[in-house]
Amino acid sequence: MPIKHFTIQDAATLYGVKEWGNQYFGINSKGHLEVYPTQDENLCADVFEIVQHLRKKGLRTPLNLRFPQILQDRVEVLNEAFRKAIRQYEYDGSYQGVFPVKTNQTKEVVEEIVRAGHKYRYGLEAGSKPELMIALGSELHPEAMILCNGYKDEAFIRLALLARRAGRNVLITVEKMTELPLILKVAKELKVEPLLGLRAKLASMGAGKWEESAGDQAKFGLTTREILEAVEVLGKRSMLDSIIELHFHIGSQITDIRKIKAAMKEATRIYAKLVKMGIPLRYLNVGGGLGVDYDGSRTTFASSMNYTVQEYAEDVVYTTKDICTQEQVPMPDLLSESGRAVAAYHQVVVVDVIGLIDTTYTKYSVELTGKEPQVLKELAYTRDNLSVKNFSEMYHDAITQRDEMLTLFNLGYLGLEDRSKGEILFYEVCRKLDRILRMKSLKYIPEEFQDLSKSLSDKLIGNFSIFQTLPDHWAIDQLFPCMPVHRLKEKPTLSATFCDITCDSDGKVDKFIDLKDVRTEIPLHEPRKDEPYYVAFFLAGAYQDILGMRHNLFGAPNEAHIVVNDDEDFRIQHIIPGETVDDMLRTVHYDPDLLMGPPMTKRKNRANDADEALRAFMGTERRRHTYLDM
Ligand SMILES: *Cc1c(COP(=O)(O)O)cnc(C)c1O
């Protein structure tokens, strides 16, 4: 058979970049990862060249790359989807979205979203006092909304109402009945008419990892009874006109469009009944939950979704119109609070692979001299006679023989040389068995062998901390797409998992996207000597930055914001240096100056040269980043 060369098309299929990349990422003819920040292949930049350029400027990996044009594109995609749906269904209301600041509070990210959203009257949603301050300080369109969700104390409410008095479009969503008297008290004191929303606790639940955000047991929202009570309380004070919004949120990353439709039906009925009770609701707020297809499978799997942004907009618009028509009430203006779908795509994390841990002796094999102890001869026999017909029993033999070998070693009967030979022989059996299992593509692989290939995988060490960079992979098994940044014309020869550089055995990536399943390994290239090997994790722009932890005192990586120009060129818009050793020490309350010891003049004994050298080195190292300098 002629040898078929590995092409960039093969690489695209292998890593699924066309499926999950949403036309933002691809591979160029050099075999490098490419970015198309406007989903148009004519505006592109070579990510490998970006990384090399940044490294030349002294920015070490790991690198957080942000593409502000992708943020802009996401804002447009979302708003245009609703515009189109409104036109298509001749809907009698408008769409006005808000970006929930909690998804990514980074100043440049919020600013870019605000700028891109200005023409759509796109607003912001805040869930805490600092987030509200971010929203109040942003240059929003005068008609854009600022929504206050989440639990609120009197100060939060005062902040919102003072801003309302100053003429800002700040709306307070009542999440809990106890907030209502506080709102009324502060509003009376400030002589301001509040803008209020009611968050309904729907019976309809989301699907996926966040399904407990709704339903009877949910943490947020008002029950039907409480909504009626709120109406009564406000009615008594002739304040029904203040209630302008009905809100619901059934959880993040809704994987199944049917759940959205069901929630829309329920919420629109509540809206209609309230309107008929004389409440002049203007907005129906459908919350967040618009998903991101992290694995590209278009399924209801937790890291995927079975609908597009356009279908989402159409279902929201159509369902609202349908039920309002049935109920004969005016159609509300639609609000939504999509965070993940707006922010996820813009951020790519580039990690350099610093080596391979060989846990399975891949480079070794044993030739017996004939003088070895019996147990090694038996292991060699197993290795040489393992075949398709007997692999199961032979594997059991190998395990027994390895255990025997270790017992003999522990009793003092074997030397280190023999033990080492025994270990190599055992892994030779495992590798041979793995080849048989793969070749045969057996209909049924007994459970005991299912983990075999995982334990034989090549373990690459990435210069990053998963706790800092992809906390949701560690915490809730969320999958993020991953692929090399270069060498994409070369066939990958490794079947790998990643370890990070924290001293934590959980610091690893061993679950990868797959169209049908979850892969336990990913095909990657063997790192070459004296040449960096870069691998990227994608779709990391939503929630990861702020959830990131400082385990082992690894801090925020270096960050660069890249604008892609015509002519396949790019411009660095911002560089944000990562956290330094100093920064990390201060987060745990150390004063790095004191750690360096008392200054020369204050010391009893005269300092010696060794002391001085140590101080000098600490002095420069403090200002450097926390990752390995490779
Ligand atoms: C978190 C949250 C959102 C954002 O959800 P996404 O799934 O990221 O779109 C919207 N609204 C509320 C009330 C939230 O708590």
Side-chain angles (χ1 to χ4, degrees):
M1 218 167 52
I3 295 171
K4 194 181 154 292
H5 285 290
F6 189 80
T7 63
I8 56 172
Q9 280 75 28
D10 295 329
T13 310
L14 188 62
Y15 297 112
V17 62
K18 291 224 170 70
E19 283 74 37
W20 56 259
N22 201 3
Q23 298 169 60
Y24 291 118
F25 304 99
I27 303 172
N28 68 16
S29 58
K30 291 183 194 158
H32 297 167
L33 172 72
E34 232 177 8
V35 59
Y36 319 111
T38 58
Q39 295 183 317
D40 174 357
E41 291 197 13
N42 294 315
L43 193 75
C44 64
D46 183 318
V47 178
F48 182 60
E49 283 175 16
I50 293 173
V51 173
Q52 281 186 313
H53 177 81
L54 292 168
R55 297 236 354 169
K56 267 196 213 119
K57 290 178 81 77
L59 232 59
R60 318 296 305 197
T61 34
L63 278 169
N64 259 344
L65 300 182
R66 294 193 200 278
F67 297 97
Q69 288 156 306
I70 295 187
L71 283 173
Q72 186 185 339
D73 196 68
R74 298 309 295 158
V75 170
E76 285 175 9
V77 164
L78 178 68
N79 280 281
E80 293 297 335
F82 272 97
R83 280 195 175 178
K84 190 169 160 209
I86 282 172
R87 242 182 286 127
Q88 182 180 337
Y89 293 111
E90 299 179 336
Y91 186 81
D92 248 355
S94 67
Y95 168 75
Q96 229 188 317
V98 295
F99 175 69
V101 175
K102 78 158 189 272
T103 313
N104 196 319
Q105 300 94 339
T106 310
K107 177 166 172 274
E108 294 79 5
V109 172
V110 175
E111 281 176 355
E112 191 63 40
I113 290 170
V114 166
R115 201 172 310 134
H118 197 273
K119 64 179 173 207
Y120 299 109
R121 299 179 300 158
Y122 197 57
L124 294 170
E125 183 259 10
S128 66
K129 284 171 270 190
E131 287 185 358
L132 178 54
M133 291 201 194
I134 290 175
L136 292 175
S138 296
E139 294 185 24
L140 296 169
H141 187 285
E143 286 171 34
M145 300 295 294
I146 295 177
L147 305 187
C148 303
N149 293 339
Y151 291 151
K152 297 169 229 36
D153 62 3
E154 189 173 326
F156 193 165
I157 289 165
R158 187 174 296 273
L159 186 60
L161 290 178
L162 281 168
R164 177 71 201 131
R165 196 172 65 172
R168 315 294 299 276
N169 265 340
V170 179
L171 182 146
I172 302 175
T173 302
V174 181
E175 298 262 6
K176 249 172 124 244
M177 279 308 275
T178 47
E179 290 170 6
L180 201 52
L182 284 176
I183 295 170
L184 294 175
K185 184 185 119 188
V186 181
K188 194 169 166 196
E189 183 192 325
L190 296 177
K191 297 195 178 64
V192 55
E193 244 182 70
L195 297 180
L196 298 179
L198 302 176
R199 176 163 177 177
K201 193 180 272 191
L202 300 185
S204 317
M205 309 255 279
K209 294 189 191 295
W210 285 270
E211 69 178 31
E212 281 166 18
S213 307
D216 295 340
Q217 302 308 316
K219 170 173 150 193
F220 296 110
L222 307 178
T223 60
T224 321
R225 177 74 243 150
E226 289 170 328
I227 289 178
L228 292 173
E229 279 174 26
V231 168
E232 199 183 311
V233 170
L234 290 161
K236 274 194 192 135
R237 301 184 185 224
S238 314
M239 282 178 70
L240 288 185
D241 285 358
S242 291
I243 315 176
I244 63 165
E245 179 218 38
L246 180 74
H247 175 224
F248 71 91
H249 172 70
I250 58 167
S252 202
Q253 184 66 11
I254 308 289
T255 57
D256 189 349
I257 187 88
R258 284 173 306 179
K259 304 282 181 178
I260 292 166
K261 286 191 219 182
M264 282 307 305
K265 282 188 190 154
E266 186 184 346
T268 314
R269 290 285 176 200
I270 300 175
Y271 159 83
K273 306 294 179 199
L274 288 171
V275 169
K276 285 181 177 171
M277 286 168 67
I279 297 158
L281 287 171
R282 171 172 169 202
Y283 292 109
L284 178 61
N285 180 349
V286 304
L290 175 56
V292 165
D293 194 359
Y294 291 94
D295 68 10
S297 67
R298 291 179 156 262
T299 59
T300 58
F301 179 65
S303 291
S304 186
M305 62 201 260
N306 66 358
Y307 56 94
T308 62
V309 176
Q310 189 61 47
E311 286 169 56
Y312 173 81
E314 285 170 17
D315 277 337
V316 168
V317 169
Y318 175 80
T319 312
T320 313
K321 174 169 176 171
D322 186 32
I323 289 179
C324 289
T325 313
Q326 288 176 32
E327 296 268 359
Q328 297 185 314
V329 293
M331 293 175 218
D333 284 342
L334 294 165
L335 260 167
S336 82
E337 309 171 331
S338 292
R340 184 183 298 276
V342 169
Y345 287 97
H346 87 281
Q347 185 169 349
V348 178
V349 183
V350 176
V351 168
D352 55 314
V353 171
I354 57 170
L356 199 69
I357 317 174
D358 190 2
T359 51
T360 60
Y361 302 91
T362 41
K363 299 215 160 38
Y364 298 90
S365 107
V366 171
E367 296 278 347
L368 290 195
T369 58
K371 296 201 188 97
E372 286 81 1
Q374 183 61 22
V375 67
L376 293 194
K377 288 181 183 152
E378 286 172 14
L379 261 171
Y381 178 87
T382 309
R383 173 194 67 184
D384 299 337
N385 292 283
L386 178 78
S387 72
V388 182
K389 297 201 186 82
N390 62 14
F391 68 86
S392 184
E393 56 192 89
M394 285 301 221
Y395 181 56
H396 295 147
D397 287 352
I399 290 176
T400 313
Q401 288 152 357
R402 187 211 31 199
D403 291 349
E404 246 173 63
M405 184 272 291
L406 285 173
T407 308
L408 289 172
F409 176 80
N410 288 340
L411 292 171
Y413 294 116
L414 291 188
L416 280 174
E417 191 66 32
D418 286 331
R419 174 174 168 168
S420 153
K421 277 186 186 168
E423 286 167 346
I424 297 168
L425 280 166
F426 177 72
Y427 277 106
E428 284 189 275
V429 172
C430 294
R431 280 201 300 278
K432 192 167 173 188
L433 177 59
D434 189 45
R435 280 196 300 276
I436 289 173
L437 292 174
R438 281 170 201 268
M439 232 164 44
K440 280 293 288 176
S441 49
L442 298 169
K443 276 212 194 74
Y444 168 70
I445 296 184
E447 203 169 312
E448 60 182 327
F449 300 121
Q450 283 173 6
D451 284 338
L452 187 72
S453 69
K454 187 172 167 185
S455 65
L456 291 176
S457 67
D458 301 291
K459 294 180 181 58
L460 292 177
I461 312 164
N463 189 8
F464 77 123
S465 157
I466 182 172
F467 303 95
Q468 169 62 227
T469 294
L470 300 172
D472 274 344
H473 183 73
W474 169 72
I476 55 170
D477 287 343
Q478 196 195 302
L479 304 183
F480 293 89
C482 167
M483 69 185 271
V485 172
H486 53 140
R487 295 178 65 182
L488 292 160
K489 288 200 290 193
E490 268 174 62
K491 192 177 162 101
T493 53
L494 304 181
S495 184
T497 59
F498 272 101
C499 304
D500 73 3
I501 56 169
T502 65
C503 307
D504 191 317
S505 50
D506 263 3
K508 61 182 185 207
V509 181
D510 58 2
K511 290 174 227 78
F512 301 93
I513 61 158
D514 186 87
L515 288 183
K516 293 200 194 72
D517 204 346
V518 176
R519 270 195 259 180
T520 52
E521 303 132 70
I522 181 168
L524 289 174
H525 305 89
E526 181 142 3
R528 292 197 192 102
K529 225 172 165 306
D530 303 324
E531 191 186 294
Y533 182 50
Y534 300 119
V535 175
F537 292 96
F538 299 82
L539 276 55
Y543 301 108
Q544 304 314 294
D545 284 321
I546 208 67
L547 290 176
M549 288 159 271
R550 288 144 160 174
H551 198 3
N552 255 163
L553 296 189
F554 289 111
N558 290 321
E559 185 172 317
H561 301 197
I562 312 291
V563 175
V564 180
N565 298 329
D566 293 341
D567 314 327
E568 305 190 10
D569 202 5
F570 59 86
R571 172 171 70 79
I572 301 172
Q573 190 187 41
H574 297 290
I575 284 184
I576 299 169
E579 285 171 312
T580 60
V581 172
D582 246 17
D583 295 334
M584 298 321 288
L585 289 171
R586 289 185 204 280
T587 62
V588 284
H589 315 165
Y590 285 96
D591 179 342
D593 290 331
L594 294 182
L595 286 181
M596 291 176 72
M600 284 305 117
T601 50
K602 295 236 173 99
R603 289 188 205 183
K604 284 217 183 77
N605 307 326
R606 286 200 56 79
N608 57 31
D609 287 351
D611 246 3
E612 263 321 281
L614 172 61
R615 275 176 70 84
F617 193 68
M618 281 171 91
T620 49
E621 209 50 29
R622 287 168 59 164
R623 292 182 186 83
R624 299 175 57 98
H625 74 165
T626 51
Y627 293 90
L628 303 184
D629 233 339
M630 307 302 285

